[in-house]
């Protein structure tokens, strides 16, 4: 948990120090160019984590409470909420422990701090990996429900969904343990970045294909009812907006973090890359923001789930 360079503790939210107040300014490096550094105050970081915690706990509670939501699709959404919850909790926990250490409230025993740091880093990494996996699983589930609608219930059964969920959690824990154990190997960073790119490509291909089918269906309905061309264009714009909502937050919130990892491989000593490394805390804040946005995109749009939330 000590504050170290970008080559160590990549998943630590305290990769770089931050002042107590928000600041967007130029930090001058003695050997390099001026750096645009965005400092995230600890209070804001902890507050966002709390908002994410409340949102995702509500999603999990609603799905558990309502038996009508006990289906593979909602189980994937529930697991995504658990992953996002762990992303926020683990980052907030590490920040809180660091603040307690700096305040002298905890005894700074090197061995204990290192073990605690490794455990929290594994938790952060596994929650991130599982979150990306469940986003991909939700996309695959929706794709099957559209293109194989008649066979959906025979293809996506509860036993298969549970096996997929268990496999994702086990793989995420094992992968994160290896990533943290071999953090200083370039291959580890390349695997993480490749995994993010693979999930991005998978989601983009599936959602674009689904929206193309939806637009084709809408054009067929428009021709059947002899509607105007402007109505067909409206369907296209709506599809583009939906695609932006699904993929935009994913890319904007996760992209900077994996850009950070990519630059560690490509230019670890370059002054310009060093400027980007200074904003590591901002990148983790964006990931927590994604944990806040996910319930709005995947869960709260369900009328049945919103009804259950009112009861909860």
């Amino acid at each position: 948990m000590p504050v170290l360079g970008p080559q160590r503790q990549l998943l630590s939210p305290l990769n770089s120090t931050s002042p107590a107040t928000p600041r967007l300014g130029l930090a001058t490096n003695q050997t390099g160019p001026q750096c645009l550094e965005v400092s995230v105050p600890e209070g804001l970081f902890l507050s966002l984590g709390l908002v994410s915690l409340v949102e995702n706990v509500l999603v999990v509670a609603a799905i558990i409470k309502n038996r009508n939501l006990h289906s593979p699709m909602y189980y994937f959404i529930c697991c995504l909420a658990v992953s996002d919850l762990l992303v926020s909790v683990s980052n907030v926990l590490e920040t809180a422990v660091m603040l307690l250490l700096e305040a002298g409230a905890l005894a700074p025993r090197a061995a204990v701090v290192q073990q605690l740091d490794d455990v929290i880093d594994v938790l952060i990494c596994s929650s991130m990996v599982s979150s990306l996996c469940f986003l991909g699983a939700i996309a695959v589930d929706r794709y099957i429900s559209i293109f194989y609608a008649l066979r959906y219930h025979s293809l996506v059964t509860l036993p298969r969904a549970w096996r997929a969920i268990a496999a994702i959690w086990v793989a995420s824990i094992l992968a994160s343990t290896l990533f943290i154990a071999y953090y200083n190997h370039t291959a580890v960073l390349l695997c993480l970045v490749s995994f993010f790119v693979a999930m991005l490509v998978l989601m983009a291909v599936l959602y674009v294909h689904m929206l193309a089918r939806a637009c084709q269906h809408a054009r067929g309905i428009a021709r059947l009812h002899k509607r105007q061309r402007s109505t067909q264009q409206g369907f296209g714009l709506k599809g583009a907006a939906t695609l932006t909502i699904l993929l935009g937050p994913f890319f904007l919130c996760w992209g900077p973090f994996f850009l950070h990892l990519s630059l560690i491989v490509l230019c670890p000593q370059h002054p310009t890359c060093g400027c980007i490394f200074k904003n590591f805390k901002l990148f983790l804040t964006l990931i927590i923001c994604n944990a806040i946005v996910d319930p709005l995109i995947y869960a709260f749009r369900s009328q049945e789930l919103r009804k259950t939330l009112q009861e909860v």
Side-chain angles (χ1 to χ4, degrees), residues 10 21 30 40 95 119 161 165 171 173 180 205 237 290 296 302:
L10 302 178
T21 56
Q30 293 179 355
V40 181
T95 301
V119 170
I165 290 171
I173 294 173
I180 299 302
V205 170
L237 292 175
N290 184 80
L296 303 177
S302 167

Side-chain angles (χ1 to χ4, degrees), residues 89-143:
V89 168
S90 52
N91 276 290
V92 168
L93 177 61
E94 187 165 17
T95 301
V97 171
M98 273 301 299
L99 292 176
L100 291 174
L101 285 172
E102 292 175 357
L106 293 178
R109 296 180 181 178
V112 175
V113 170
Q114 184 60 51
Q115 291 178 357
L116 182 60
D117 180 59
D118 291 339
V119 170
I120 294 178
D121 282 348
V122 169
L123 181 61
I124 294 174
C125 187
S126 60
S127 58
M128 288 181 175
V129 172
S130 62
S131 181
L132 293 174
C133 286
F134 285 118
L135 285 170
I138 291 171
V140 172
D141 177 78
R142 292 185 173 182
Y143 184 86

Side-chain angles (χ1 to χ4, degrees), residues 112-225:
V112 175
V113 170
Q114 184 60 51
Q115 291 178 357
L116 182 60
D117 180 59
D118 291 339
V119 170
I120 294 178
D121 282 348
V122 169
L123 181 61
I124 294 174
C125 187
S126 60
S127 58
M128 288 181 175
V129 172
S130 62
S131 181
L132 293 174
C133 286
F134 285 118
L135 285 170
I138 291 171
V140 172
D141 177 78
R142 292 185 173 182
Y143 184 86
I144 295 175
S145 69
I146 290 177
F147 288 90
Y148 303 93
L150 298 178
R151 299 173 55 198
Y152 173 79
H153 293 290
S154 61
L155 293 174
V156 185
T157 61
L158 279 178
R160 288 178 178 175
W162 282 119
R163 287 196 293 268
I165 290 171
I168 288 174
W169 281 115
V170 171
S172 298
I173 294 173
L174 292 177
S176 61
T177 303
L178 292 175
F179 289 156
I180 299 302
Y182 299 99
Y183 62 87
N184 55 348
H185 288 72
T186 301
V188 170
L189 300 183
L190 291 177
C191 286
L192 279 171
V193 174
S194 300
F195 174 68
F196 167 73
V197 173
M199 285 296 104
L200 179 62
V201 171
L202 173 67
M203 293 174 63
V205 170
L206 293 182
Y207 282 127
V208 167
H209 196 188
M210 283 186 279
L211 289 174
R213 171 64 67 87
C215 290
Q216 181 182 7
H217 182 66
R219 286 195 295 269
I221 294 176
R223 285 195 298 267
L224 181 64
H225 294 279

Side-chain angles (χ1 to χ4, degrees), residues 13-312:
L14 293 173
N15 182 275
S16 58
T17 56
S18 299
T21 56
R23 179 169 62 87
L24 174 60
L26 295 176
T28 304
N29 192 334
Q30 293 179 355
T31 59
Q34 288 184 327
C35 297
L36 182 64
E37 182 178 355
V38 180
S39 296
V40 181
E42 306 298 351
L44 177 60
F45 191 80
L46 295 173
S47 298
L48 291 174
L50 180 61
V51 172
S52 171
L53 173 65
V54 172
E55 273 192 0
N56 289 287
V57 165
L58 286 175
V59 172
V60 173
I63 293 176
I64 292 176
K65 177 180 173 60
N66 191 342
R67 292 186 177 273
N68 293 332
L69 302 178
H70 291 186
S71 64
M73 180 184 70
Y74 283 104
Y75 283 145
F76 288 136
I77 292 176
C78 182
C79 289
L80 174 63
V82 173
S83 298
D84 287 341
L85 186 152
L86 291 176
V87 168
S88 301
V89 168
S90 52
N91 276 290
V92 168
L93 177 61
E94 187 165 17
T95 301
V97 171
M98 273 301 299
L99 292 176
L100 291 174
L101 285 172
E102 292 175 357
L106 293 178
R109 296 180 181 178
V112 175
V113 170
Q114 184 60 51
Q115 291 178 357
L116 182 60
D117 180 59
D118 291 339
V119 170
I120 294 178
D121 282 348
V122 169
L123 181 61
I124 294 174
C125 187
S126 60
S127 58
M128 288 181 175
V129 172
S130 62
S131 181
L132 293 174
C133 286
F134 285 118
L135 285 170
I138 291 171
V140 172
D141 177 78
R142 292 185 173 182
Y143 184 86
I144 295 175
S145 69
I146 290 177
F147 288 90
Y148 303 93
L150 298 178
R151 299 173 55 198
Y152 173 79
H153 293 290
S154 61
L155 293 174
V156 185
T157 61
L158 279 178
R160 288 178 178 175
W162 282 119
R163 287 196 293 268
I165 290 171
I168 288 174
W169 281 115
V170 171
S172 298
I173 294 173
L174 292 177
S176 61
T177 303
L178 292 175
F179 289 156
I180 299 302
Y182 299 99
Y183 62 87
N184 55 348
H185 288 72
T186 301
V188 170
L189 300 183
L190 291 177
C191 286
L192 279 171
V193 174
S194 300
F195 174 68
F196 167 73
V197 173
M199 285 296 104
L200 179 62
V201 171
L202 173 67
M203 293 174 63
V205 170
L206 293 182
Y207 282 127
V208 167
H209 196 188
M210 283 186 279
L211 289 174
R213 171 64 67 87
C215 290
Q216 181 182 7
H217 182 66
R219 286 195 295 269
I221 294 176
R223 285 195 298 267
L224 181 64
H225 294 279
K226 298 181 179 180
R227 293 181 180 178
Q228 296 179 352
R229 186 179 182 86
S230 59
T231 304
Q232 299 180 23
Q233 293 176 348
F235 286 125
L237 292 175
K238 185 177 180 180
T242 302
L243 185 64
T244 302
I245 292 173
L246 290 170
L247 296 180
F250 175 81
F251 181 76
L252 292 177
C253 293
W254 286 96
F257 174 78
F258 286 95
L259 173 63
H260 175 97
L261 299 185
S262 301
L263 293 181
I264 290 175
V265 176
L266 298 175
C267 53
Q269 304 298 330
H270 195 278
T272 303
C273 296
C275 291
I276 297 176
F277 297 151
K278 292 178 180 294
N279 292 290
F280 184 77
K281 183 71 172 288
L282 173 64
F283 304 156
L284 285 179
T285 304
L286 290 175
I287 291 178
I288 292 182
C289 290
N290 184 80
I292 295 174
V293 172
D294 278 345
L296 303 177
I297 297 176
Y298 297 99
F300 294 156
R301 296 172 66 185
S302 167
Q303 184 177 359
E304 183 75 20
L305 193 142
R306 290 200 305 270
K307 180 180 177 181
T308 307
L309 283 175
Q310 292 175 358
E311 298 175 2
V312 174

